[in-house]
CSV table of all heavy atoms in Angstrom, one decimal:
chain,number,residue,atom,x,y,z
A,1,ARG,N,81.2,-48.9,1.9
A,1,ARG,CA,81.1,-49.1,3.3
A,1,ARG,C,80.2,-50.3,3.7
A,1,ARG,O,80.5,-51.0,4.7
A,1,ARG,CB,80.7,-47.9,4.0
A,1,ARG,CG,81.6,-46.7,3.8
A,1,ARG,CD,81.2,-45.5,4.7
A,1,ARG,NE,79.9,-45.0,4.4
A,1,ARG,CZ,78.9,-45.0,5.3
A,1,ARG,NH1,79.1,-45.4,6.5
A,1,ARG,NH2,77.7,-44.5,4.9
A,2,PHE,N,79.1,-50.5,3.0
A,2,PHE,CA,78.1,-51.5,3.4
A,2,PHE,C,78.2,-52.6,2.3
A,2,PHE,O,78.4,-52.4,1.1
A,2,PHE,CB,76.7,-50.9,3.4
A,2,PHE,CG,76.4,-50.0,4.5
A,2,PHE,CD1,77.4,-49.5,5.3
A,2,PHE,CD2,75.1,-49.6,4.7
A,2,PHE,CE1,77.2,-48.6,6.3
A,2,PHE,CE2,74.8,-48.7,5.8
A,2,PHE,CZ,75.8,-48.2,6.6
A,3,THR,N,77.9,-53.8,2.8
A,3,THR,CA,77.8,-55.0,1.9
A,3,THR,C,76.6,-55.8,2.2
A,3,THR,O,76.4,-56.2,3.4
A,3,THR,CB,79.1,-55.9,2.0
A,3,THR,OG1,80.2,-55.1,1.7
A,3,THR,CG2,79.0,-57.0,1.0
A,4,ILE,N,75.7,-56.0,1.2
A,4,ILE,CA,74.6,-56.9,1.4
A,4,ILE,C,74.9,-58.3,0.9
A,4,ILE,O,75.6,-58.4,-0.1
A,4,ILE,CB,73.3,-56.3,0.7
A,4,ILE,CG1,72.1,-57.1,1.1
A,4,ILE,CG2,73.5,-56.2,-0.8
A,4,ILE,CD1,70.8,-56.5,0.7
A,5,SER,N,74.5,-59.3,1.6
A,5,SER,CA,74.7,-60.7,1.2
A,5,SER,C,73.5,-61.5,1.7
A,5,SER,O,72.7,-61.1,2.5
A,5,SER,CB,76.0,-61.2,1.7
A,5,SER,OG,76.0,-61.2,3.1
A,6,ARG,N,73.5,-62.7,1.2
A,6,ARG,CA,72.4,-63.6,1.6
A,6,ARG,C,72.9,-65.0,1.7
A,6,ARG,O,73.9,-65.4,1.0
A,6,ARG,CB,71.2,-63.6,0.6
A,6,ARG,CG,71.6,-64.1,-0.8
A,6,ARG,CD,70.5,-63.7,-1.8
A,6,ARG,NE,69.2,-64.2,-1.4
A,6,ARG,CZ,68.0,-63.7,-1.9
A,6,ARG,NH1,68.0,-62.7,-2.7
A,6,ARG,NH2,66.9,-64.3,-1.5
A,7,ASP,N,72.3,-65.8,2.6
A,7,ASP,CA,72.6,-67.2,2.7
A,7,ASP,C,71.2,-67.9,2.6
A,7,ASP,O,70.5,-68.0,3.5
A,7,ASP,CB,73.2,-67.5,4.1
A,7,ASP,CG,73.7,-68.9,4.3
A,7,ASP,OD1,73.1,-69.8,3.5
A,7,ASP,OD2,74.5,-69.2,5.1
A,8,ASN,N,71.0,-68.4,1.4
A,8,ASN,CA,69.7,-69.0,1.1
A,8,ASN,C,69.4,-70.3,1.9
A,8,ASN,O,68.3,-70.6,2.3
A,8,ASN,CB,69.6,-69.4,-0.4
A,8,ASN,CG,69.5,-68.1,-1.2
A,8,ASN,OD1,69.1,-67.1,-0.8
A,8,ASN,ND2,69.9,-68.2,-2.5
A,9,ALA,N,70.5,-71.0,2.3
A,9,ALA,CA,70.3,-72.2,3.1
A,9,ALA,C,69.8,-71.8,4.5
A,9,ALA,O,69.2,-72.7,5.2
A,9,ALA,CB,71.6,-73.0,3.2
A,10,LYS,N,70.1,-70.6,5.0
A,10,LYS,CA,69.6,-70.2,6.3
A,10,LYS,C,68.5,-69.2,6.2
A,10,LYS,O,68.0,-68.7,7.2
A,10,LYS,CB,70.8,-69.5,7.0
A,10,LYS,CG,72.0,-70.4,7.3
A,10,LYS,CD,73.1,-69.7,8.1
A,10,LYS,CE,74.2,-70.6,8.4
A,10,LYS,NZ,75.3,-69.8,9.1
A,11,ASN,N,67.9,-69.0,5.0
A,11,ASN,CA,66.8,-68.0,4.9
A,11,ASN,C,67.2,-66.7,5.5
A,11,ASN,O,66.3,-66.1,6.2
A,11,ASN,CB,65.5,-68.6,5.4
A,11,ASN,CG,64.8,-69.5,4.5
A,11,ASN,OD1,65.4,-70.1,3.6
A,11,ASN,ND2,63.5,-69.5,4.7
A,12,THR,N,68.4,-66.2,5.3
A,12,THR,CA,68.8,-65.0,5.9
A,12,THR,C,69.6,-64.0,5.0
A,12,THR,O,70.3,-64.5,4.1
A,12,THR,CB,69.8,-65.3,7.1
A,12,THR,OG1,69.1,-66.2,8.0
A,12,THR,CG2,70.2,-64.1,7.8
A,13,VAL,N,69.3,-62.8,5.1
A,13,VAL,CA,70.0,-61.7,4.4
A,13,VAL,C,70.8,-60.9,5.4
A,13,VAL,O,70.3,-60.7,6.6
A,13,VAL,CB,69.1,-60.9,3.6
A,13,VAL,CG1,68.0,-60.1,4.4
A,13,VAL,CG2,69.9,-59.9,2.7
A,14,TYR,N,71.9,-60.4,5.1
A,14,TYR,CA,72.8,-59.7,6.0
A,14,TYR,C,73.1,-58.3,5.4
A,14,TYR,O,73.1,-58.1,4.2
A,14,TYR,CB,74.1,-60.4,6.2
A,14,TYR,CG,74.0,-61.8,6.7
A,14,TYR,CD1,74.0,-62.9,5.8
A,14,TYR,CD2,73.9,-62.1,8.1
A,14,TYR,CE1,73.8,-64.2,6.3
A,14,TYR,CE2,73.7,-63.4,8.6
A,14,TYR,CZ,73.7,-64.4,7.7
A,14,TYR,OH,73.6,-65.7,8.1
A,15,LEU,N,73.4,-57.4,6.3
A,15,LEU,CA,74.0,-56.1,5.9
A,15,LEU,C,75.2,-55.8,6.8
A,15,LEU,O,75.1,-55.6,8.0
A,15,LEU,CB,73.0,-55.0,6.1
A,15,LEU,CG,73.4,-53.6,5.6
A,15,LEU,CD1,73.6,-53.6,4.1
A,15,LEU,CD2,72.4,-52.5,6.0
A,16,GLN,N,76.4,-56.0,6.2
A,16,GLN,CA,77.6,-55.6,6.9
A,16,GLN,C,77.9,-54.2,6.7
A,16,GLN,O,78.0,-53.7,5.6
A,16,GLN,CB,78.8,-56.5,6.3
A,16,GLN,CG,80.1,-56.1,7.0
A,16,GLN,CD,80.2,-56.6,8.4
A,16,GLN,OE1,79.8,-57.7,8.8
A,16,GLN,NE2,80.7,-55.7,9.3
A,17,MET,N,78.0,-53.4,7.8
A,17,MET,CA,78.2,-52.0,7.8
A,17,MET,C,79.5,-51.7,8.5
A,17,MET,O,79.7,-51.9,9.6
A,17,MET,CB,77.0,-51.3,8.6
A,17,MET,CG,75.6,-51.7,8.1
A,17,MET,SD,74.3,-50.7,8.9
A,17,MET,CE,74.4,-51.5,10.5
A,18,ASN,N,80.4,-51.1,7.7
A,18,ASN,CA,81.7,-50.7,8.1
A,18,ASN,C,81.9,-49.2,8.1
A,18,ASN,O,81.1,-48.5,7.3
A,18,ASN,CB,82.8,-51.4,7.3
A,18,ASN,CG,82.8,-52.9,7.4
A,18,ASN,OD1,82.5,-53.4,8.4
A,18,ASN,ND2,83.2,-53.5,6.3
A,19,ASN,N,82.8,-48.7,8.8
A,19,ASN,CA,83.1,-47.2,8.8
A,19,ASN,C,81.8,-46.4,9.0
A,19,ASN,O,81.5,-45.5,8.3
A,19,ASN,CB,83.8,-46.8,7.6
A,19,ASN,CG,84.4,-45.4,7.6
A,19,ASN,OD1,84.6,-44.9,8.7
A,19,ASN,ND2,84.5,-44.8,6.5
A,20,LEU,N,81.1,-46.8,10.0
A,20,LEU,CA,79.8,-46.1,10.3
A,20,LEU,C,79.9,-44.7,10.6
A,20,LEU,O,80.9,-44.3,11.3
A,20,LEU,CB,79.0,-46.9,11.4
A,20,LEU,CG,78.4,-48.2,10.9
A,20,LEU,CD1,78.1,-49.1,12.1
A,20,LEU,CD2,77.1,-47.9,10.1
A,21,LYS,N,79.0,-43.9,10.2
A,21,LYS,CA,79.0,-42.5,10.4
A,21,LYS,C,77.7,-42.1,11.2
A,21,LYS,O,76.7,-42.8,11.1
A,21,LYS,CB,79.0,-41.7,9.1
A,21,LYS,CG,80.2,-42.1,8.2
A,21,LYS,CD,80.1,-41.4,6.8
A,21,LYS,CE,81.3,-41.7,6.0
A,21,LYS,NZ,81.2,-41.1,4.6
A,22,PRO,N,77.7,-40.9,11.9
A,22,PRO,CA,76.5,-40.5,12.6
A,22,PRO,C,75.3,-40.4,11.7
A,22,PRO,O,74.2,-40.7,12.1
A,22,PRO,CB,76.9,-39.1,13.1
A,22,PRO,CG,78.4,-39.2,13.3
A,22,PRO,CD,78.9,-40.1,12.2
A,23,GLU,N,75.4,-40.0,10.4
A,23,GLU,CA,74.3,-39.9,9.5
A,23,GLU,C,73.7,-41.3,9.1
A,23,GLU,O,72.7,-41.3,8.5
A,23,GLU,CB,74.7,-39.1,8.3
A,23,GLU,CG,76.0,-39.6,7.6
A,23,GLU,CD,77.2,-38.8,8.0
A,23,GLU,OE1,77.4,-38.5,9.2
A,23,GLU,OE2,78.0,-38.5,7.1
A,24,ASP,N,74.4,-42.4,9.5
A,24,ASP,CA,73.8,-43.7,9.3
A,24,ASP,C,72.8,-44.1,10.4
A,24,ASP,O,72.1,-45.1,10.3
A,24,ASP,CB,74.9,-44.8,9.3
A,24,ASP,CG,75.9,-44.6,8.2
A,24,ASP,OD1,75.4,-44.3,7.0
A,24,ASP,OD2,77.1,-44.8,8.4
A,25,THR,N,72.7,-43.2,11.4
A,25,THR,CA,71.7,-43.5,12.5
A,25,THR,C,70.3,-43.5,11.9
A,25,THR,O,69.8,-42.6,11.3
A,25,THR,CB,71.8,-42.4,13.6
A,25,THR,OG1,73.1,-42.5,14.2
A,25,THR,CG2,70.8,-42.6,14.6
A,26,ALA,N,69.6,-44.6,12.2
A,26,ALA,CA,68.2,-44.8,11.7
A,26,ALA,C,67.7,-46.1,12.2
A,26,ALA,O,68.4,-46.9,12.7
A,26,ALA,CB,68.2,-44.8,10.1
A,27,VAL,N,66.4,-46.3,11.9
A,27,VAL,CA,65.8,-47.7,12.1
A,27,VAL,C,66.0,-48.4,10.7
A,27,VAL,O,65.6,-47.8,9.7
A,27,VAL,CB,64.4,-47.6,12.5
A,27,VAL,CG1,63.8,-49.0,12.6
A,27,VAL,CG2,64.2,-46.9,13.8
A,28,TYR,N,66.6,-49.5,10.8
A,28,TYR,CA,66.8,-50.3,9.5
A,28,TYR,C,65.8,-51.4,9.4
A,28,TYR,O,65.5,-52.2,10.4
A,28,TYR,CB,68.2,-50.9,9.6
A,28,TYR,CG,69.3,-49.9,9.3
A,28,TYR,CD1,69.6,-48.9,10.2
A,28,TYR,CD2,70.0,-49.9,8.1
A,28,TYR,CE1,70.6,-47.9,9.9
A,28,TYR,CE2,71.0,-48.9,7.8
A,28,TYR,CZ,71.2,-48.0,8.7
A,28,TYR,OH,72.2,-47.0,8.4
A,29,TYR,N,65.2,-51.5,8.2
A,29,TYR,CA,64.2,-52.4,7.9
A,29,TYR,C,64.6,-53.4,6.8
A,29,TYR,O,65.2,-53.0,5.8
A,29,TYR,CB,62.9,-51.7,7.5
A,29,TYR,CG,62.3,-50.8,8.5
A,29,TYR,CD1,62.7,-49.5,8.6
A,29,TYR,CD2,61.3,-51.3,9.4
A,29,TYR,CE1,62.1,-48.6,9.5
A,29,TYR,CE2,60.8,-50.4,10.3
A,29,TYR,CZ,61.2,-49.1,10.4
A,29,TYR,OH,60.6,-48.2,11.3
A,30,CYS,N,64.2,-54.6,7.0
A,30,CYS,CA,64.3,-55.7,6.0
A,30,CYS,C,63.1,-55.8,5.2
A,30,CYS,O,62.0,-55.7,5.7
A,30,CYS,CB,64.7,-57.0,6.7
A,30,CYS,SG,64.9,-58.4,5.6
A,31,ARG,N,63.2,-56.0,3.9
A,31,ARG,CA,62.0,-56.1,3.0
A,31,ARG,C,62.2,-57.3,2.0
A,31,ARG,O,63.3,-57.4,1.5
A,31,ARG,CB,61.7,-54.8,2.2
A,31,ARG,CG,60.3,-54.8,1.6
A,31,ARG,CD,60.2,-53.8,0.5
A,31,ARG,NE,60.9,-54.1,-0.7
A,31,ARG,CZ,60.8,-53.3,-1.8
A,31,ARG,NH1,60.1,-52.2,-1.8
A,31,ARG,NH2,61.5,-53.7,-2.9
A,32,SER,N,61.2,-58.0,1.8
A,32,SER,CA,61.2,-59.1,0.8
A,32,SER,C,60.3,-58.7,-0.3
A,32,SER,O,59.3,-57.9,-0.1
A,32,SER,CB,60.7,-60.4,1.4
A,32,SER,OG,59.4,-60.3,1.8
A,33,ASP,N,60.6,-59.2,-1.5
A,33,ASP,CA,59.8,-58.8,-2.7
A,33,ASP,C,59.7,-60.1,-3.6
A,33,ASP,O,60.8,-60.6,-4.0
A,33,ASP,CB,60.4,-57.7,-3.5
A,33,ASP,CG,59.6,-57.2,-4.6
A,33,ASP,OD1,58.8,-58.0,-5.2
A,33,ASP,OD2,59.7,-56.0,-5.0
A,34,TYR,N,58.5,-60.6,-3.7
A,34,TYR,CA,58.4,-61.8,-4.6
A,34,TYR,C,57.0,-61.7,-5.3
A,34,TYR,O,56.0,-61.6,-4.6
A,34,TYR,CB,58.5,-63.1,-3.7
A,34,TYR,CG,58.2,-64.3,-4.6
A,34,TYR,CD1,59.1,-64.7,-5.5
A,34,TYR,CD2,57.1,-65.1,-4.3
A,34,TYR,CE1,58.9,-65.9,-6.3
A,34,TYR,CE2,56.9,-66.2,-5.1
A,34,TYR,CZ,57.7,-66.6,-6.0
A,34,TYR,OH,57.5,-67.8,-6.8
A,35,MET,N,57.1,-61.8,-6.6
A,35,MET,CA,55.8,-61.8,-7.4
A,35,MET,C,54.9,-60.6,-7.0
A,35,MET,O,53.7,-60.8,-6.8
A,35,MET,CB,55.1,-63.1,-7.2
A,35,MET,CG,56.0,-64.3,-7.7
A,35,MET,SD,56.4,-64.2,-9.5
A,35,MET,CE,54.7,-64.6,-10.2
A,36,ALA,N,55.5,-59.4,-6.9
A,36,ALA,CA,54.7,-58.2,-6.6
A,36,ALA,C,54.2,-58.2,-5.1
A,36,ALA,O,53.4,-57.3,-4.8
A,36,ALA,CB,53.6,-58.0,-7.6
A,37,ARG,N,54.6,-59.1,-4.3
A,37,ARG,CA,54.2,-59.1,-2.9
A,37,ARG,C,55.3,-58.7,-2.1
A,37,ARG,O,56.4,-59.3,-2.1
A,37,ARG,CB,53.6,-60.4,-2.4
A,37,ARG,CG,52.3,-60.9,-3.1
A,37,ARG,CD,51.8,-62.1,-2.5
A,37,ARG,NE,50.5,-62.5,-3.1
A,37,ARG,CZ,49.8,-63.5,-2.6
A,37,ARG,NH1,50.2,-64.2,-1.6
A,37,ARG,NH2,48.6,-63.8,-3.3
A,38,ARG,N,55.1,-57.6,-1.3
A,38,ARG,CA,56.2,-57.1,-0.5
A,38,ARG,C,55.9,-57.1,1.0
A,38,ARG,O,54.7,-56.8,1.4
A,38,ARG,CB,56.5,-55.6,-0.9
A,38,ARG,CG,57.0,-55.5,-2.4
A,38,ARG,CD,57.3,-54.1,-2.8
A,38,ARG,NE,57.8,-54.1,-4.2
A,38,ARG,CZ,57.0,-54.0,-5.2
A,38,ARG,NH1,55.7,-53.8,-5.1
A,38,ARG,NH2,57.6,-53.9,-6.4
A,39,TYR,N,56.8,-57.5,1.8
A,39,TYR,CA,56.7,-57.6,3.2
A,39,TYR,C,57.8,-56.9,3.9
A,39,TYR,O,58.9,-56.8,3.4
A,39,TYR,CB,56.6,-59.0,3.7
A,39,TYR,CG,55.4,-59.7,3.1
A,39,TYR,CD1,55.5,-60.5,1.9
A,39,TYR,CD2,54.1,-59.7,3.7
A,39,TYR,CE1,54.4,-61.1,1.4
A,39,TYR,CE2,53.0,-60.3,3.2
A,39,TYR,CZ,53.2,-61.0,2.0
A,39,TYR,OH,52.1,-61.7,1.5
A,40,TRP,N,57.5,-56.4,5.1
A,40,TRP,CA,58.5,-55.6,5.9
A,40,TRP,C,58.7,-56.3,7.3
A,40,TRP,O,57.8,-56.8,7.9
A,40,TRP,CB,58.1,-54.2,6.2
A,40,TRP,CG,58.0,-53.4,4.9
A,40,TRP,CD1,56.9,-53.2,4.1
A,40,TRP,CD2,59.0,-52.5,4.4
A,40,TRP,NE1,57.1,-52.4,3.1
A,40,TRP,CE2,58.4,-51.9,3.2
A,40,TRP,CE3,60.3,-52.2,4.7
A,40,TRP,CZ2,59.1,-51.0,2.4
A,40,TRP,CZ3,61.0,-51.3,4.0
A,40,TRP,CH2,60.4,-50.7,2.8
A,41,GLY,N,60.0,-56.2,7.7
A,41,GLY,CA,60.3,-56.5,9.1
A,41,GLY,C,59.9,-55.4,10.0
A,41,GLY,O,59.4,-54.3,9.6
A,42,GLN,N,60.1,-55.6,11.3
A,42,GLN,CA,59.7,-54.6,12.3
A,42,GLN,C,60.7,-53.5,12.5
A,42,GLN,O,60.5,-52.5,13.1
A,42,GLN,CB,59.4,-55.3,13.7
A,42,GLN,CG,60.6,-55.6,14.5
A,42,GLN,CD,61.5,-56.7,14.0
A,42,GLN,OE1,61.1,-57.5,13.1
A,42,GLN,NE2,62.7,-56.8,14.5
A,43,GLY,N,61.9,-53.8,12.0
A,43,GLY,CA,63.0,-52.8,12.1
A,43,GLY,C,63.9,-53.0,13.3
A,43,GLY,O,63.6,-53.6,14.3
A,44,THR,N,65.2,-52.5,13.2
A,44,THR,CA,66.1,-52.6,14.2
A,44,THR,C,66.9,-51.3,14.3
A,44,THR,O,67.3,-50.7,13.2
A,44,THR,CB,67.1,-53.8,14.1
A,44,THR,OG1,68.0,-53.9,15.2
A,44,THR,CG2,67.9,-53.7,12.8
């Protein structure tokens, strides 16, 4: 149902969500991981 992808030229990662269900309801957070350093977005 979901597909993650990235566009490195745009510094952007995507999450395409299809056939959504009520149990998908949540705050969704983006996270980066590089050389053991992890950062989080504020959520949507």
Side-chain angles (χ1 to χ4, degrees):
R1 299 189 297 119
F2 290 11
T3 302
I4 188 170
S5 62
R6 66 194 300 159
D7 187 337
N8 291 334
K10 296 181 179 179
N11 275 27
T12 302
V13 63
Y14 305 94
L15 185 67
Q16 178 67 47
M17 304 184 293
N18 297 327
N19 192 24
L20 283 160
K21 303 176 180 180
E23 52 263 43
D24 295 319
T25 296
V27 177
Y28 284 70
Y29 298 90
C30 179
R31 193 195 75 175
S32 65
D33 186 332
Y34 176 67
M35 299 296 288
R37 294 187 177 187
R38 299 179 175 91
Y39 298 93
W40 295 89
Q42 83 288 345
T44 185

